[in-house]
Amino acid sequence: NLINALFCDRQGRLWIGHDTGQITVHSGNGFSRVKLPANWSSQPIHCFGDDAQGNIWVLNSQWLLACIRPDGNVLLLPKTEDPIFNLNSAAADGVLRATTMDGHCYCVRPGGFTPDPDQPPFPNPGKRLLRSRAGGYWTINQTHLQRWIGKKRENDFGGVHWEDSIYVSMAEWRNRVVGGSFTKGLFFASLNGMSARLTAAEGLPDNSITTLFVDRDQTLWVGTRGGLAALWPKRVQVLGPHGNPSGRFRGRPRRQQP
């Protein structure tokens, strides 16, 4: 079935979320299916996260959040009034962050949610937030990209000229912010304010993106409805039945014009 989410935890295990709500984990000795409680929804898995205590966090497409404890027990957290959009494990303090549809940020622990003191000011509907590896948050409101450290705006990159304002997934990769769209491939915004786009014409298996993940070697993994691809700065490798079998871009990512 369709792979909706990929994640590599701090122990090096690969977690795979399926469109059926099932979860598979690869720990180096093969794949095994995670046993979930009977009341866990069968909706597609949206994303994963982890924390310094070894908990694995799972968010599904109904915005239900589950915590898989190191002993294998699964804790289901109450659904928030403001639906969670994304999970971020990049914080140096080891605490998982969750960002919501309305642009709020929370620290997530098995005991519940607390507001993130590093949250950028003035959250508003339509804003997407991504925790930065260097601290603080990237924010995208429609196509306006900024970087915040607490209440201070560090950078304002202005409009990045992305054609879609709704993204399935976001990631920070090699000093770029990457957005995966429903139908138009990948969009990139770099620190110098330039933006670019990568589609099936340049080697992706498909233009419909389901998940993005950056591993410890800074490889960008892209899940699409046509297969899985791995991206490096000048190379794409397709691991699926479709796409570019040569493992090289058919063309450079196209720069977006204002």
Side-chain angles (χ1 to χ4, degrees):
N1 51 33
L2 184 68
I3 294 176
N4 268 43
L6 293 170
F7 182 71
C8 186
D9 65 18
R10 296 161 199 253
Q11 300 179 39
R13 297 174 298 179
L14 177 66
W15 296 79
I16 303 171
H18 302 273
D19 64 339
T20 58
Q22 297 175 345
I23 299 171
T24 306
V25 60
H26 189 284
S27 58
N29 297 315
F31 291 92
S32 60
R33 182 177 295 180
V34 176
K35 185 176 181 181
L36 298 168
N39 56 344
W40 174 251
S41 170
S42 60
Q43 294 296 312
I45 302 301
H46 180 63
C47 61
F48 292 96
D50 68 352
D51 59 30
Q53 283 68 49
N55 299 307
I56 302 297
W57 298 84
V58 188
L59 182 70
N60 73 8
S61 62
Q62 285 190 334
W63 319 123
L64 297 176
L65 186 63
C67 175
I68 304 174
R69 307 299 296 268
D71 60 7
N73 290 324
V74 179
L75 172 68
L76 300 183
L77 273 70
K79 193 173 182 179
T80 58
E81 292 184 9
D82 181 9
I84 296 172
F85 168 72
N86 202 10
L87 301 176
N88 299 133
S89 304
D93 60 10
V95 177
L96 182 77
R97 262 61 171 194
T99 57
T100 70
M101 292 290 191
D102 281 348
H104 292 89
C105 310
Y106 294 98
C107 297
V108 184
R109 298 176 176 86
F113 303 88
T114 56
D116 184 356
D118 291 333
Q119 172 179 285
F122 313 120
N124 63 289
K127 180 179 285 186
R128 298 291 183 255
L129 297 103
L130 176 69
R131 183 80 184 186
S132 172
R133 295 177 185 274
Y137 283 89
W138 296 96
T139 69
I140 294 181
N141 188 8
Q142 298 300 321
T143 58
H144 197 86
L145 178 66
Q146 298 177 334
R147 184 168 178 268
W148 293 80
I149 303 294
K151 308 301 181 185
K152 180 183 178 182
R153 186 175 63 194
E154 288 285 302
N155 304 95
D156 189 332
F157 300 100
V160 292
H161 314 297
W162 290 0
E163 296 180 24
D164 260 342
S165 59
I166 300 175
Y167 302 98
V168 178
S169 184
M170 291 173 57
E172 185 182 44
W173 179 61
R174 297 180 184 270
N175 293 321
R176 301 174 180 89
V177 177
V178 186
S181 72
F182 287 104
T183 60
K184 297 180 180 179
L186 291 178
F187 292 85
F188 300 82
S190 61
L191 298 182
N192 62 8
M194 301 303 296
S195 55
R197 180 181 171 200
L198 183 70
T199 68
E202 290 81 44
L204 287 180
D206 192 87
N207 285 335
S208 181
I209 309 301
T210 59
T211 185
L212 297 174
F213 173 68
V214 179
D215 67 19
R216 290 178 292 184
D217 296 324
Q218 286 296 292
T219 300
L220 176 64
W221 295 89
V222 184
T224 78
R225 292 189 177 274
L228 180 65
L231 268 68
W232 296 269
K234 296 183 179 180
R235 181 169 172 256
V236 57
Q237 179 70 50
V238 174
L239 292 83
H242 309 297
N244 174 16
S246 70
R248 295 186 179 275
F249 287 126
R250 284 194 286 263
R252 295 177 63 85
R254 287 174 284 138
R255 184 169 294 177
Q256 300 294 287
Q257 299 298 327

